[in-house]
Amino acid sequence: QVQLVESGGGLVQAGGSMRLSCAASGRAFSTYAMGWFRQVPGEEREFVATISWSGGNTHYADSVQGRFTISRDNAKNTVYLQMNSLKPEDTAVYYCAEGKRSYYMGDGELDYDYWGQGTQVTVSS
């Protein structure tokens, strides 16, 4: 049984920084891509960033490119999302997700089959 537990959300002022963490357990973490998605109430969940199983490849949504950095520590079974220069429009519930297939990296929800519970990020103006 895969479990993903996010932490690190909260309230921050615009222009500030925040780091989210997601601890995974239950299967061979180092063989699966990991992703971050976010959702605003009433809207669809949207892709934020993804990282390959080794950490060697990353991909970002245009809206966060240059401000957010995804990374992972396979020894700790943890993926991170460093968020800098935060904007009010970054306010959302952030979810981490584990890839559906080993050694495959995608940016769609259907590419992931395990999800964390979500952590709220609120950016005040």
Side-chain angles (χ1 to χ4, degrees):
Q1 179 77 11
V2 173
Q3 286 193 316
L4 303 175
V5 180
E6 298 110 336
S7 61
L11 175 65
V12 64
Q13 287 190 329
S17 297
M18 182 178 289
R19 188 175 84 156
L20 305 182
S21 300
C22 173
S25 62
R27 63 180 181 180
F29 179 77
S30 62
T31 66
Y32 293 91
M34 296 294 294
W36 286 96
F37 290 74
R38 65 187 182 186
Q39 188 171 26
V40 174
E43 297 183 12
E44 293 188 355
R45 189 153 50 186
E46 68 170 356
F47 167 75
V48 175
T50 183
I51 188 167
S52 64
W53 47 97
S54 66
N57 289 298
T58 57
H59 174 57
Y60 298 91
D62 289 344
S63 58
V64 307
Q65 179 76 49
R67 299 187 299 121
F68 291 11
T69 302
I70 188 171
S71 62
R72 66 190 294 160
D73 184 339
N74 284 349
K76 296 182 178 179
N77 285 7
T78 301
V79 62
Y80 305 96
L81 185 68
Q82 177 67 42
M83 304 183 292
N84 298 329
S85 303
L86 282 161
K87 305 175 181 180
E89 51 263 43
D90 294 318
T91 296
V93 176
Y94 283 70
Y95 299 88
C96 69
E98 189 165 289
K100 181 174 291 186
R101 290 186 280 152
S102 297
Y103 307 112
Y104 179 78
M105 184 178 169
D107 61 7
E109 285 192 67
L110 296 181
D111 295 319
Y112 299 85
D113 58 0
Y114 290 100
W115 297 81
Q117 81 283 0
T119 185
Q120 176 70 47
V121 172
T122 302
V123 184
S124 63
S125 56

